[in-house]
Amino acid sequence: MTIIKKGEVSYYATYGVQNTYSQEKVGTTGPFEAASITKPVFTFVVARLAERGVIDLDKPMCQYLSFQAIEYDDKYKKITARHVLSHTSGFTNWYSDKVELIFELGT
């Protein structure tokens, strides 16, 4: 856990174990699987940016950044942040080498 105040780390500590079988404690370096915890944190940040008018949830994402892997499909030009955040962009939930829209946008 890290607490940051005014851009500076004010507290840092580790808790728990890396491996439930060996009971090896979590260290201060090395990889740590965060799994899906980043999803609500990212969503919160995007919501705050939208609240402040920095981004528009209903503006096509391609106007903010390019995604070359899907540019071959013009449907990607309609994908908004709201679609991405609500899992209705048309992308599969798992990354693969081939990027494609497999669902209808908005479903």
Side-chain angles (χ1 to χ4, degrees), residues 53-104:
V54 175
I55 66 166
D56 179 345
L57 295 178
D58 298 308
K59 183 177 177 179
M61 294 292 297
C62 67
Q63 293 180 21
Y64 292 107
L65 52 92
S66 66
F67 188 24
Q68 292 178 347
I70 194 67
E71 286 180 349
Y72 69 89
D73 188 336
D74 280 344
K75 290 183 285 186
Y76 101 97
K77 293 177 182 175
K78 296 179 182 178
I79 299 171
T80 67
R82 189 177 307 276
H83 290 124
V84 174
L85 293 173
S86 63
H87 298 276
T88 61
S89 65
F91 291 113
T92 181
N93 193 36
W94 302 104
Y95 179 78
S96 69
D97 292 336
K98 184 177 182 185
V99 178
E100 61 185 328
L101 298 170
I102 60 170
F103 301 107
E104 188 65 34

